[in-house]
Amino acid sequence: MAQSGEKRKREDNDGGIGDSGSSQEQPLPGFQLHSVLRESARDKTIFLHGKVTSVSHGTQDAVVILERFPFQAETVSSLLTNQPELKLQLKNDIYSVYHLNPPPELNEVKTTVICPATEKHIKKYLHQDLYLIHETGEDYKTITLPFIEAQSFSIQWVYNILDKKAESERIIHEDPDPEHGFILIPDFKWNQKQVEDLYLIAICHPRGIKSLRDLTSDHLPLLRNILREGQEAILKRYGIHGNQLRIYLHYQPSYYHLHVHFTALGHDAPGISVDRAHLLCDVIQNLECDPQYYKTRTLTYALRAGEELLEKYRAAGKC
Ligand code: M7G
């Protein structure tokens, strides 16, 4: 579908250098809350849609994700030893509940800002009912692919990493081979303070591989390389063995440049459910058995109400 020049410009800015270059400025000038997109008491996370206003950019949409950090074994005892301010809430026999006000350095809130946020970002974080799509190889060609080509998120942030224009100091491992190489880097969902919620992504060097659907047996050397070198690098850096890692691809991904997720097996990371995650070891085996597996196979995934791709499937009478 055609997009307005304004929208395209905003999407092209997504993750661009221009944005990270302005990190010295106040990141959320004049922030006004527009709505709560989603919240999770269990995950201690809230997703906000707001408006920010600055002289240079006028009024822009922003998505802000606030998230409480997990406790860290090294610092947690100081919460209790340094004369904590404990306010009693309830006492019954041997049981008591307090409110503890931690010192500021132990009370940080991880704040992820996407600005300017596109409509697609806002929808991505909005709580919506989910619907399953059973996408055949033919559906991919006639419905999904044209949609991706017209609509997908900008992957400028990915190119910034590959070109060392952003996050270069965060790279954990690189294989620079243009065909089989990749960069392993902490995902921006992970604060790197504890390995319990370890989350890295391997971004492949070759450009133009959009997703699982583009993979054939020609890509086996690349995939095997990511699996082997990714595990070795994580073992070396964090002491976590491959058998304690969940290594997978998303289908559908949000960003159409092939990347692989590495998460701690014990971490209930978002996007690990069977309707989205494809284990890299299974992907490799499937391609070893059938070089065209992902071109022909029906792939099942969930889409949110209101998502444009879902509307396309509905219009085609496929959902
Ligand atoms: P995905 O499967 O395309 O989509 O994964 P998802 O976000 O719906 O899971 C992309 C992954 O890249 C996610 O795990 C994001 O958290 C991560 N990510 C996204 N951005 C914009 C960045 C970024 O700028 N830097 C880093 N390091 N990770 C990012």
Side-chain angles (χ1 to χ4, degrees), residues 276-313:
R276 191 150 191 236
H278 297 253
L279 288 175
L280 179 58
C281 55
D282 290 347
V283 172
I284 290 173
Q285 270 207 48
N286 290 336
L287 290 171
E288 284 168 348
C289 295
D290 175 0
Q292 297 296 312
Y293 187 92
Y294 290 102
K295 299 270 183 207
T296 53
R297 210 7 258 253
T298 295
L299 296 177
T300 300
Y301 52 85
L303 292 176
R304 290 191 182 83
E307 272 193 73
E308 225 158 317
L309 186 54
L310 181 67
E311 298 310 324
K312 301 263 177 230
Y313 272 85

Side-chain angles (χ1 to χ4, degrees), residues 124 157 161 167 170 185-189 199 201 250 252-255 259 261 276:
K124 173 175 157 117
W157 69 271
I161 290 174
E167 303 189 47
R170 285 159 45 90
I185 194 160
D187 191 282
F188 81 170
K189 289 197 202 90
Y199 199 145
I201 41 172
H250 276 158
Q252 299 284 334
S254 295
Y255 303 96
H259 56 276
H261 301 249
R276 191 150 191 236

Side-chain angles (χ1 to χ4, degrees), residues 55 57 94 105 130-131 149 167 205 212 234 254 265 289:
V55 179
H57 295 101
I94 59 169
E105 66 278 12
L130 294 168
Y131 297 89
E149 282 169 347
E167 303 189 47
H205 267 304
L212 205 56
I234 289 175
S254 295
L265 194 54
C289 295

Side-chain angles (χ1 to χ4, degrees), residues 7-58:
K7 190 169 174 207
R8 169 54 66 199
K9 210 168 96 216
R10 286 167 50 178
E11 294 202 353
D12 284 343
N13 268 338
D14 176 23
I17 299 298
D19 295 346
S20 54
S22 61
S23 58
Q24 298 307 316
E25 294 169 14
Q26 147 76 278
L28 293 167
F31 181 81
Q32 297 259 322
L33 181 64
H34 182 272
S35 60
V36 173
L37 299 169
R38 185 170 16 131
E39 60 188 308
S40 163
R42 196 195 69 168
D43 298 336
K44 317 278 184 295
T45 310
I46 191 162
F47 299 78
L48 306 173
H49 172 202
K51 303 268 182 194
V52 295
T53 308
S54 65
V55 179
S56 44
H57 295 101

